[in-house]
Amino acid sequence: MKGRLEMNYFPLKGSKIKLYSEEMEMEEAHKAAEDLLNTGRTKEIVFIDQRESGWNMKEMQKYLTEIEEEPHNVTIYFDGGFDRNSTEAGVGAVIYYEQNGKHYRVRKNSLVENLLTNNEAEYAALYFALQELEPLGVHHLPVEIKGDSQVVINQLSGEWPVMEKTLNEWVDKIEEKLKETGITPEYCLIVRKKNQEADQLASQAIQKIEISSKKEI
């Protein structure tokens, strides 16, 4: 979870000053808050999450302790490929997360049939990635979702309208899955070069090469 700090600073001379930090991971924000409190001149620190909810030091410490044993700081990379000749699609997902102080990477792909376009394959890839979060136990957390499909990212973030019936059905499926798991999506459009892992997985799926791995990194 990301957020920012708001605090009152009391200089040696003069009135108190209201200070605000940039957005950062809450673990980092908590460490910074402890250092600031140790100065003796910073008080009333509040953590503001991305939903604009406020947390005090005690509440944030409890939250960070509780999530340490669960998957958190989750990032998804997804990509879909469509072969017009065979009308087969490949979907790839790469999931990065932290748990118990360790960093992990999950790589999965799958061959999908009965799709009609590359855009539909991209939506199928994201849905596939969200399904792969369930066995990891990811729920009720913000998840950063990265892909190079302008259609998927811009439509799901509300920037572009969804005109096609088939794609609208995929939007409904994805939003229902997010609702079921309590996941808050943070959509991020990236260039294709930064999505090479997921792209390769999608291509391998079309080639009938199945990949399923989990690795500590």
Side-chain angles (χ1 to χ4, degrees):
M1 181 169 65
K2 294 181 179 180
R4 66 182 189 276
L5 291 173
E6 293 184 2
M7 68 208 83
N8 289 322
Y9 176 72
F10 294 83
L12 293 176
K13 295 181 180 180
S15 303
K16 71 177 181 180
I17 303 170
K18 190 77 172 180
L19 299 178
Y20 306 87
S21 77
E22 295 181 349
E23 187 176 82
M24 65 186 86
E25 295 291 344
M26 281 304 191
E27 293 92 336
E28 182 182 354
H30 187 263
K31 291 178 182 177
E34 289 181 323
D35 288 340
L36 289 165
L37 287 173
N38 288 335
T39 67
R41 293 200 294 273
T42 306
K43 298 180 181 179
E44 300 169 9
I45 293 180
V46 178
F47 302 85
I48 307 297
D49 63 26
Q50 290 172 308
R51 296 181 179 179
E52 294 298 314
S53 298
W55 307 57
N56 60 34
M57 282 290 292
K58 185 176 180 180
E59 290 170 335
M60 184 51 62
Q61 178 62 61
K62 181 180 179 182
Y63 167 78
L64 293 175
T65 300
E66 287 176 347
I67 70 166
E68 184 62 25
E69 296 183 359
E70 299 180 0
H72 56 282
N73 291 341
V74 183
T75 299
I76 286 174
Y77 290 83
F78 72 94
D79 197 46
F82 182 71
D83 187 341
R84 288 184 175 85
N85 294 323
S86 66
T87 67
E88 292 180 328
V91 296
V94 185
I95 302 169
Y96 290 91
Y97 67 96
E98 298 176 30
Q99 187 173 17
N100 293 320
K102 297 180 180 180
H103 298 255
Y104 295 94
R105 182 190 67 188
V106 171
R107 299 170 69 242
K108 290 282 185 77
N109 70 356
S110 180
L111 185 68
V112 183
E113 298 179 339
N114 300 320
L115 301 185
L116 300 176
T117 65
N118 189 70
N119 285 335
E120 194 176 358
E122 293 280 8
Y123 268 106
L126 177 51
Y127 187 74
F128 172 73
L130 293 174
Q131 288 180 305
E132 292 303 318
L133 292 181
E134 294 186 71
L136 299 178
V138 177
H139 54 83
H140 297 93
L141 287 173
V143 172
E144 193 168 19
I145 298 173
K146 296 185 176 184
D148 58 46
S149 169
Q150 292 189 45
V151 170
V152 173
I153 297 297
N154 288 334
Q155 287 183 341
L156 286 173
S157 61
E159 296 293 325
W160 291 2
V162 186
M163 307 300 291
E164 298 178 45
K165 180 182 177 182
T166 302
L167 299 188
N168 197 54
E169 291 173 352
W170 279 107
V171 170
D172 290 342
K173 287 179 65 175
I174 288 170
E175 291 183 344
E176 181 61 30
K177 178 61 66 177
L178 293 170
K179 183 178 179 180
E180 287 177 4
T181 55
I183 289 171
T184 302
E186 300 171 8
Y187 297 109
C188 179
L189 181 64
I190 59 176
V191 296
R192 190 170 186 82
K193 186 177 180 180
K194 293 187 176 181
N195 204 29
Q196 290 181 341
E197 280 190 301
D199 176 68
Q200 182 180 20
L201 287 168
S203 297
Q204 289 172 317
I206 293 176
Q207 298 165 18
K208 310 295 193 300
I209 302 172
E210 184 179 352
I211 304 294
S212 178
S213 68
K214 176 181 175 181
K215 180 181 179 182
E216 183 181 344
I217 57 175

